[in-house]
Structures are given as C-alpha cells and as structure tokens.
Amino acid sequence: MLDIFQYDFMQKAFMIGILIAVITPCIGVVVVLKRLSMIGDSLSHNSLAGVAAGLVIGINPIIGAVIFSIIAAFSIELIRKSFSKYAEIAIAVIMSTGIGLAGILSGFVKNSSNFNSFLFGSIVAISDLELFVVITLSLFVIIIVSILYKELFFITFDEEAARISGIPVKTINFIFTLLTAIAISVSARTVGTLVVSSLMVLPVACAIQIAKSYKQTFIYSILFGELSMVLGLFISYYVNLKPGGTIVIIGVIILLIILTINKIAKLLLKKKYKSLQRG
C-alpha cells in the first residue's frame, strides 16, 4: 500500500496536498460564514485565465494564476461597493470576465495538454519550482491566518462591532482577500481550477454539521480537508482516476455520510422524546 511513496511525484503531491488541505478550509471557514461561497468559483476561473496568460507569455503558470486571482479579488471588493445591496453581482461579473479571458487566452497556448492539466489538476506535472512556490505561499497563508485568527473571527460575524472594538476592518479584509486569492491559485495544480472552490467549501460544510464553536469549525474543517485529500490521492493513484475530481467526490461522500448520520440521530432523538412524553 505504501509503495505509492516510492515515486518522487507522489511524494510532492502528498506534500502539496496536505498543505492545501490546511489552507483552503482555513480560508473557507470565513468565506462560508460570511456567505461568500461563490467567491471561490469566481477567483478559480480568473486563476485559470492567469494560467493561460502565464503559458502564453512564458512565465510560471502558478505565478500568473496568483496575479490574476489577486486582481480579481480586489476587483470584486471594488464592484461590491457599487452594488452594496447586491453583492453577488460583483462575483458574477468577475467570474464572467475570468471565463471570457481564459477562453480567449487558451486559444494562444501552444501546448494545450499543459493548459488542460490545470482544469482538473495534475499531480504528475508538479515541478520543483512549483513545489517551492506552493510551499512558500501556503506557509505564508497559514502564518497570517494564525496571527489574525481573533480579528477574522470578529469580522466574520459582525464587521460593525469589530470596527467599534478597534479592529482595522478594512486592513483585515484587504489581507483576507489577498490570502483567498493566493489559496485558490496555489491549489490549482493539485486539484484543478474548476474544482478548487469545492475543496474550500465541502470541508467547512461537513464541519458546520458537527462543530459547536468557531474554533471547532476551524479544526474539523482542516481534518475533513485532510481526509478528503489523502483518501482522494490514494484512490486516484490505485484506481487510475483524476486526483482533483476524486478528492472532491470523496468530500461530497463524507458530507452525505454526516448528513445521513445527523438525520438518523435526530429521528432517534425525536422518537425517544415522544416515548418519554407517552410514558
């Protein structure tokens, strides 16, 4: 079973996968609780445009994805101010822009198989430079999220109260937007740009079902993210499936199992309550 680790590319895939399974739920908790789940889809489509741009002009595609995602993230914030009551319009506009740019730029990419490897991820294509970039950016996200844990907690639930408490809400939102763009961009190689937002939302959805506090939601999200990632990489290797899609489907299965268990537990509790009332 552990013969999977005899290959250099699988060692890199697990190393990157474990880091990504930490950073995406960390960002995902705040994104989901602020009801901005679709922002992941929007940024991932723009990161795909960045990948295409990187391949066209000859720079590392991950660097291109990071640049485009950051621009897209701050563009969403700017447009949201113009549509304060309809925040989802900003996400839809930037997502459409990303899809359009990705479609146009992909026509200029000479090696289409290289571009396609970013759609659903390709663990065998991770280079040493990409490994270094992903590890560096992932550690940066983890450190900043750890430092700003308390501030993120405040702005997640009540920005006005956070502002009154002296928290620099605008600065924290700026930093969080930057971290979101980086987290999505660095995940593109392993799980793919089309499914990276699922990795951000699914572990959090699982955690919300069983967590009783903000801290527990954070911890459970990371644990579910790691479980999906490790199982997905193992299964994709031994059954010869695409890793990105497999990781996401594992996440969906875990969520369905938790929802089913919760449903059964509630039915049993209800039945027990009724029997006590009769008794």
Side-chain angles (χ1 to χ4, degrees):
M1 182 96 178
L2 295 179
D3 60 329
I4 188 173
F5 294 111
Q6 68 180 303
Y7 301 106
D8 185 51
F9 68 87
M10 287 308 301
Q11 292 173 11
K12 290 178 185 173
F14 272 91
M15 201 182 302
I16 288 178
I18 286 169
L19 280 172
I20 288 172
V22 173
I23 62 170
T24 45
C26 280
I27 300 296
V29 168
V30 179
V31 167
V32 171
L33 294 178
K34 288 182 82 172
R35 302 179 190 280
L36 293 171
S37 300
M38 288 303 294
I39 199 171
D41 275 325
S42 181
L43 295 186
S44 63
H45 283 90
N46 278 276
S47 75
L48 188 61
V51 167
L55 292 171
V56 170
I57 63 177
I59 64 169
N60 188 287
I62 293 180
I63 301 295
V66 171
I67 294 169
F68 269 64
S69 295
I70 290 173
I71 294 171
F74 288 114
S75 299
I76 288 174
E77 286 299 312
L78 283 175
I79 296 175
R80 277 177 63 191
K81 289 175 183 173
S82 302
F83 298 93
S84 56
K85 292 183 179 177
Y86 307 98
E88 71 278 5
I89 290 179
I91 295 173
V93 168
I94 297 302
M95 185 189 292
S96 304
T97 307
I99 293 170
L101 282 174
I104 292 171
L105 292 170
S106 64
F108 296 96
V109 177
K110 292 177 183 173
N111 185 356
S112 60
S113 61
N114 196 8
F115 176 72
N116 292 338
S117 70
F118 280 87
L119 294 175
F120 294 100
S122 177
I123 54 174
V124 295
I126 297 170
S127 67
D128 288 338
L129 176 62
E130 287 168 344
L131 179 70
F132 173 76
V133 171
V134 173
I135 289 175
T136 304
L137 292 177
S138 298
L139 290 176
F140 174 74
V141 173
I142 292 170
I143 291 169
I144 299 298
V145 169
S146 303
I147 293 172
L148 298 178
Y149 176 81
K150 193 171 74 176
E151 285 80 1
L152 287 173
F153 169 77
F154 273 108
I155 67 163
T156 297
F157 294 102
D158 194 337
E159 287 195 3
E160 195 54 43
R163 194 173 284 110
I164 293 169
S165 302
I167 292 173
V169 174
K170 195 177 282 187
T171 305
I172 299 298
N173 275 331
F174 174 88
I175 295 170
F176 179 72
T177 303
L178 185 68
L179 296 180
T180 306
I182 293 173
I184 288 175
S185 306
V186 300
S187 307
R189 185 51 116 182
T190 301
V191 295
T193 53
L194 296 184
V195 291
V196 65
S197 63
S198 306
L199 195 63
M200 188 175 282
V201 173
L202 285 171
V204 182
C206 295
I208 288 173
Q209 289 295 314
I210 57 173
K212 292 182 171 39
S213 66
Y214 181 73
K215 187 177 182 180
Q216 282 188 7
T217 307
F218 246 94
I219 294 169
Y220 290 147
S221 296
I222 293 170
L223 291 177
F224 285 124
E226 293 292 353
L227 185 61
S228 303
M229 181 64 73
V230 173
L231 281 178
L233 287 175
F234 266 106
I235 293 171
S236 63
Y237 174 79
Y238 285 107
V239 188
N240 196 22
L241 299 172
K242 286 281 186 183
T246 309
I247 292 163
V248 171
I249 293 301
I250 295 292
V252 172
I253 292 171
I254 293 172
L255 178 61
L256 290 175
I257 291 172
I258 292 173
L259 289 173
T260 305
I261 292 173
N262 273 356
K263 187 77 176 173
I264 293 171
K266 284 178 183 173
L267 286 173
L268 290 174
L269 199 64
K270 196 174 177 183
K271 194 175 177 183
K272 188 178 177 182
Y273 179 72
K274 281 183 177 177
S275 65
L276 285 171
Q277 277 187 324
R278 288 192 203 104

